[in-house]
Amino acid sequence: MVFNSATSASSGTLSLKQTLELVNLRLANARGARDPELALELCHDADATLCGIKGSQRRALILSKKDEDRALSDGVVTAFMDLGMLQDSLGRSDKAQASYKKAVLWGGNAEQPCPTSDFKSGKDALNTDKGQSPTLQSQPPLGSGVALLSRDFFTENVNPPAITFSPPQTDGRVDDIRQLAACLSLLQSSHSSDVILEPTARNWIQDVENDPDEQERLKALATDVVKEYVRDELKDTKAIAEVVCLAPVLEKDDFRFLLRQLYTGIDQSDLMNVPQLQGLADLIRGANPGYLDSDDLVKVLELLSARLTNIHLQSTSYIYQLTLAISHVLDSMADTKVNGLDRERLHTPLGSYLDKLKGSSDPYLVYQAAYAHQALQYVPDNDTLWEKTLRRTGNLIQGVSGLVSSAKGLDLNGFIEGLRNIQQGMAGATDVYKLVNTAYRDATSLANSGKDFLDCLKDSFSLDYKRAWYPALRGADTLIRNGQLVKFKKLICEAPCRHEPAFQWGICQRLGGIAANSLWDVNTRRSAVSFLGEIYCNDVEWGHQVDVEQWILSILMRISSLSGSVPQYAITVLEHLRTDGDAEKQAIYRSYRENDLDSCPFVVDIQSLETSTLLERVQNKPD
């Protein structure tokens, strides 16, 4: 290996971007070096190159507000943290601590360092010599109760994403639909404003609470937006997104009126309208408690089920969107404890059709169908849960009843215990055990058996068979929604189903959602990106599922297409993943980079609603 001398980067012959590329090249070669002395020499060269960057350049980059400068500054922080991790793994903790301190000088976080190469492959962990760092040596074997990470993520809880609030003038024009939604949301939560609100919002709510006319004006605006949507002839994607944005803050009558409109639009359409389908699903997800009753959800499910079972030669993308909508409806039915779902008319036919989708070669569709099938199992039908359990297994399984609903106020330790009861209860049932083959043998066997991802998902379609990964993912949703990221991490690492491909797929989807959503703070988004890299690289703890790893690559590539420092960080992580693992794993990366991402259903960011067409029309109408 021949490299330019370290002094070349500091003598002005290389730009800072080129310098970082040189450093990352040296670090990559250090990670792949079999000789520890050679690895240390490469680390020394990388350190010398980084230290050659002038202090004035460092200060200018740190103070700059330009995205490209911030990305470069973040790149240097990442390089120093990567260097520190390598030095630590080579037994040079003194040099590692010095590298971490240099990262802090560049604006890194002293309490929670965020390197990119903090993910170690299973091969790296297994090949660690006794004289090297014990970072992964002391970890329990695959299949133990708790996953130990190569570094820490989500070390503190954060405020969940929120719309930046800038109050409108009293009786003044509302800027956009998100501002209207924020105003109405503040009015609904005014009883706890001293705790959850910043001064600007708190001052506004105090003024408006003494102005009933202004309150009524804002509520009337929301009602008028719903009416304007009904009058709109096109009802395009943006109009649907705009009106559905108000779902959590609408008055009950307005919400139910909008629900009927979306239902009727789908019911009366000869051709399936995907935006309306997505809008109906999002409306149901945003419903306030008490706004939906059992009959509403059953009717919507009947409509979507009829559509699903009567489709002919439809695209996989369309079937995926329809299955996704059904999943959202079933989630809501599980949450609201819908009872009396008719077995002959709906429960069994829907389950049977979802079961047929397992034959698809599209992993996105098969996962979503498996998710919907599992959600259906948690919606009680005409039989009681206990009768079905006794008939199927011969004994009661504790913690099943109400487990999904109890996630609303999640006692994490009790929740994980309930998941464990499901896992252990099902593993002990002879007939279920035959259905799923090796799925509940020890986790080492599951993760290393080489069992195809789609075959693992197909196990989830066994009729009347509940899997723990579905309520585990629902619990994860609750924790994310509340900003309880420390508990979210604990759930990922301690869930008894953490080696199941469906659970890993769903967790990666949720981590990607955090990373792509610009309403989360930067450190949280970076932690999500790092966690994705951890799952990809750390085969010792997470097993080796090719489809899950390709799903991670899809998510990171979509995130890297955005702008800002987090997408730049995702690019750096992808570069690390390119050289991770053995030749077989690197081949997965190379082959996937050649694939088309158009089929990937991962959405990289929330839809922009800065311009609100429906609201604009309402406010422009003469009094």
Side-chain angles (χ1 to χ4, degrees), residues 23-73:
V23 167
N24 287 327
L25 180 61
R26 284 173 172 154
L27 293 176
N29 280 280
R31 282 190 289 271
R34 294 179 178 273
D35 185 347
E37 293 299 324
L38 177 58
L40 282 172
E41 187 63 27
L42 288 164
C43 287
H44 173 76
D45 290 346
D47 181 60
T49 302
L50 288 170
C51 291
I53 302 172
K54 295 179 180 180
S56 58
Q57 192 173 11
R58 171 176 58 81
R59 288 188 292 272
L61 287 172
I62 292 175
L63 294 174
S64 175
K65 296 182 178 179
K66 295 181 178 179
D67 284 344
E68 56 267 31
D69 290 342
R70 292 292 301 275
L72 288 172
S73 177

Side-chain angles (χ1 to χ4, degrees), residues 223-232 614 617-618 621:
T223 300
D224 289 343
V225 168
V226 174
K227 292 178 179 178
E228 187 63 30
Y229 168 78
V230 175
R231 287 190 289 266
D232 186 79
L614 299 178
R617 291 183 208 159
V618 168
K621 287 183 178 179

